[in-house]
Amino acid sequence: MTSRSADEVMRLFVSIPGLANQAPESLGERMFEMAVEACAWGIVIQSNERLIYANRAALDCLLLSAAEVPGARLASVFDPDSYATLLPNLSKVSPDDDQLFMGDLKLVRRNGARLDAEVYHAGLGNGASMINFRDVTMVKRLELELRQAQKLESVGRLAAGIAHEINTPIQFIGDSATYLGSAIRELLNVLQSSRAELRRAAEAAGDSEALARLAEEDEVADLEFNEAQAPIAAARIVEGVTRVARIVAAMKAFSHPGFEAASPVDVNKVLADTLIIAGHELKNHVTVSTDFGVLPPFDGFAGDLGQAFLNLIVNGAHAIVDRRGAGGPGTIAISTRGDDDAITIQIADNGCGMPPEVEARLFEPFFTTKEVGRGTGQGLSVVRATIVQKHHGDVTVKSAVGIGTTFTLRLPLRRAA
Ligand SMILES: Nc1ncnc2c1ncn2[C@@H]1O[C@H](COP(=O)(O)OP(=O)(O)OP(=O)(O)O)[C@@H](O)[C@H]1O
Ligand SMILES: [Mg+2]
């Protein structure tokens, strides 16, 4: 590394026009100090794991006052794991170790909040070192949101592709099953009447051998049982295939790419499709009641709305599961209403509800009270982005612990300019 002596730095500053005739001894120092103070990166200087100095950016970022810095423990501004990562570098500080650490660490503000920071740690000599950092919390969040959006988009595309592939075979399975059902019924009718005819003829002719043969054939073919069961089996196939076809159609509608221009949306149908998709989450412990009103024509983004409705319905289902010890079944009541100005959608659950401190942070990206794997805290920020940003509407919530939660979404018919 090429380092400059203090004299050299001072000479550089003094070469600034208009400054040359001021007292050179203090000028270099003052200019240097101003440069460090004005630096947009946080700069902290430490010795023996105690803070000596923090520039303006560092104070602002860590919510510290200048008076609190001298002597404060360096560990107090780091998350314990991050401090453990940094610690081995602190002990080997020497003037030659100009770059001791470079990477992402977690810092701790005075109020306890964590922030992600890009950190450089460099030795200054005499057992002191300098930590430069930049708050990258927002950058990390945006990266994560982008990754999540890309994941949703590719999952959506995959779902649309699969739905498309399943659609054709399921249609001909359904058509064939319907045909076979009616063909079996007709064939059975013919079979029954011909065998009755044969029996009558054998009886008239007193042909006991033929009668015994007919009875044996009936027995071997299990005719009575098959006559009763075959039409039922055919009906069951048709019913199952119809159900699969509905799910496939809902998946297709649902995974419709969300970045196209607004187009006419049947909000009631989107909700009904979403309920089919959510079926798995709702099974067993949730009863859903719907009260769909007649809605005015509405232009919007069906795929995004479906995603938002799904997030709310899944949250409701989770809240119902979390309502331990309460009697009665869990219910999610969904209603829609329309007037000249807007469409209003209400999704109400009688789940665990939430305390005011959760309600206050509800729409924050990544805010979750759920364990890893069950929630990422993205659901409601997606809901808000869809309803407020994309559809210029609003979302309100009413919740009471132990009673339940109601989300009300308002989608204006005419978008604000
Ligand atoms: N209907 C509800 N009843 C009770 N609490 C709720 C309800 N909806 C949301 N919450 C609370 O709000 C938090 C944030 O919800 P959000 O949907 O944004 O994230 P999540 O459900 O935790 O995770 P994700 O939706 O990303 O899987 C939840 O963790 C939960 O504590
Ligand atoms: Mg959720």
Side-chain angles (χ1 to χ4, degrees), residues 315 319 349 353-354 362 367-370 375-380 405:
N315 279 351
D349 66 70
M354 57 189 118
L362 213 51
F367 172 74
T368 182
T369 59
K370 296 173 189 171
T376 60
Q378 298 242 68
L380 289 175
T405 304

Side-chain angles (χ1 to χ4, degrees), residues 131-189:
I131 294 154
N132 289 4
F133 66 90
R134 181 170 75 102
D135 182 355
V136 292
T137 312
M138 214 50 213
V139 176
K140 291 224 148 167
R141 257 187 198 180
L142 290 173
E143 272 170 12
L144 210 75
E145 274 179 32
L146 184 68
R147 265 208 302 278
Q148 188 74 12
Q150 284 168 338
K151 205 166 74 192
L152 283 178
E153 197 188 311
S154 60
V155 169
R157 249 203 311 267
L158 185 72
I162 295 172
H164 183 76
E165 291 301 324
I166 298 176
N167 208 26
T168 317
I170 216 69
Q171 250 162 26
F172 64 68
I173 293 174
D175 292 348
S176 304
T178 309
Y179 157 73
L180 283 178
S182 67
I184 285 173
R185 264 191 308 277
E186 279 160 24
L187 288 173
L188 279 175
N189 286 342

